[in-house]
Amino acid sequence: MGLNAAPTAGGEGFLTTTVNSVANWGRKNSLWPMPFGTACCAIEMMGAMMSRFDLSRFGAEVARFSPRQADLMIVSGTITYKMASVCRNIYDQMPEPKWVIAMGSCTCGGGPFDSYAVVQGIDEFLPVDVYIGGCPPRPEALIDAVMKIQKKIDIEGAPIV
Amino acid sequence: MSGFTLEQLSSRLGSHIESSSEFRGENTYFVAPEKISEVLTVLKEEFNFDYLVDLTAVDYLGIKSPRFEMVYYLHRFGEQYDENIRVRIKCSISEDKPAIDSVTSLWAGADWLEREVYDMFGIVFNGHPDLRRILMPEDYDEYPLRKDFDVRNREPSKRSFKKALSEGNF
Ligand code: SF4
């Protein structure tokens, strides 16, 4: 990125950059999460979005309950196989590029539920970018995960589609 | 009927009761499975047990024979809502053809409870208006709370999951 600040008044200067880096800069600072909360972890996710922890400070403010308007899926809660097909379907409806956070022990590896109905880690059917351990993780951990996603977008970026 | 006593109940049901037990004020009556709707009708209509608290089943594999036991918890509030009397009705069901009369005609709330028992234990409720699985996927082919089902066996769930994905049927 090159910056040519005009010696006189503002507005005269210009930036040189690439379309990709501007797009990724925009993406990482305005992640729109699709909250997929199915159990207790979802309460902490709500906590992270409310004013005390205020996820919106990092641009991930607008929780979209429509997958078509979201680019970050936060899966928080126990995922059963019956729910897994729904979860995958919703993920498929999200436009590219998209990222996934597995929030809590349940989504990372089944958590306390080693049972016939519970998926032992959502990476069985979803490409997970960031895992957060904890039962439940604290809101700070979710904020940390969002910031890791931002870093990932910054480093890896995503093609313009 | 007001001023309910358990003696009235046992003398009214008489020979329908196979055995009874009492533990810390909880009263349990065993009845024959073919008598269950008759007994529960009497309890509801004559003794005003208006509320079916819960209905569930137990699998006593290797402990008791017949293997299954149905459990009904009934609650009586009393005319002035000052009584709070509970009784527990049990009956055994054999393994080869697990079936019993539905009580949905007595308590509409039994609908989903019976579906859950059907889903988890495979006990069929005769006369149930809509006996489908309620928790597990509809094409699931096991009864997960039966003691001979391995609680960690995820294969049947995976099969239903893959089928739902491939058919786009959620
Ligand atoms: S990880 Fe713990 S808190 Fe989170 S959904 Fe599972 S059981 Fe609930």
Side-chain angles (χ1 to χ4, degrees), chain A:
Chain A
M1 208 185 273
L3 175 66
N4 186 345
T8 50
E12 300 281 312
F14 61 90
L15 286 165
T16 57
T17 180
T18 58
V19 177
N20 251 331
S21 51
V22 170
N24 287 330
W25 176 80
R27 278 170 185 153
K28 79 168 195 204
N29 289 304
S30 64
L31 283 166
W32 283 15
M34 153 86 219
F36 197 89
T38 50
C40 4
C41 272
I43 304 295
E44 294 299 298
M45 176 179 65
M46 294 170 213
M49 288 180 179
M50 288 299 115
S51 47
R52 187 180 179 98
F53 295 97
D54 201 7
L55 196 56
S56 57
R57 288 175 294 158
F58 307 95
E61 178 173 24
V62 212
R64 289 285 129 171
F65 289 87
S66 159
R68 315 235 182 235
Q69 300 168 349
D71 52 7
L72 169 66
M73 192 181 208
I74 305 177
V75 186
S76 49
T78 321
I79 301 290
T80 59
Y81 278 102
K82 198 174 173 185
M83 200 55 170
S85 48
V86 179
C87 187
R88 176 72 214 196
N89 190 29
I90 288 176
Y91 175 78
D92 287 341
Q93 289 174 16
M94 285 165 57
E96 297 276 356
K98 51 192 169 185
W99 295 271
V100 176
I101 293 177
M103 179 180 183
S105 309
C106 278
T107 51
C108 294
F113 308 109
D114 184 6
S115 85
Y116 57 91
V118 176
V119 182
Q120 304 296 296
I122 59 162
D123 45 13
E124 236 174 79
F125 63 93
L126 277 186
V128 178
D129 294 286
V130 178
Y131 297 85
I132 320 173
C135 181
R138 285 200 43 94
E140 291 96 328
L142 180 59
I143 293 174
D144 182 48
V146 169
M147 291 174 77
K148 285 212 164 73
I149 294 266
Q150 291 183 324
K151 222 172 257 167
K152 181 170 177 160
I153 298 171
D154 209 20
I155 295 167
E156 293 178 11
I160 308 268
V161 275

Side-chain angles (χ1 to χ4, degrees), chain B residues 18-127:
Chain B
E18 289 178 344
S19 66
S20 64
S21 64
E22 198 257 328
F23 177 76
R24 297 192 180 219
E26 292 180 4
N27 292 283
T28 308
Y29 299 92
F30 268 91
V31 302
E34 57 280 1
K35 290 282 180 339
I36 194 77
S37 42
E38 199 182 329
V39 167
L40 293 177
T41 308
V42 168
L43 281 166
K44 183 177 180 210
E45 313 271 298
E46 294 178 27
F47 290 96
N48 294 333
F49 281 90
D50 295 325
Y51 177 33
L52 176 71
V53 181
D54 197 8
L55 171 169
T56 186
V58 189
D59 183 0
Y60 285 106
L61 179 69
I63 298 172
K64 273 192 204 175
S65 173
R67 174 175 168 184
F68 297 110
E69 214 163 65
M70 282 297 302
V71 194
Y72 299 84
Y73 295 89
L74 307 183
H75 193 106
R76 177 185 146 110
F77 293 105
E79 244 117 81
Q80 308 297 321
Y81 291 93
D82 55 355
E83 284 187 11
N84 288 324
I85 295 168
R86 279 193 183 196
V87 293
R88 184 191 289 128
I89 309 291
K90 286 188 174 186
C91 71
S92 328
I93 302 181
S94 75
E95 175 167 11
D96 32 290
K97 239 187 136 203
I100 194 165
D101 286 343
S102 166
V103 295
T104 43
S105 52
L106 290 172
W107 296 279
D111 184 338
W112 284 11
L113 300 174
E114 290 183 347
R115 281 178 64 187
E116 188 190 358
V117 171
Y118 166 70
D119 193 354
M120 294 289 141
F121 295 92
I123 294 171
V124 173
F125 292 89
N126 303 322

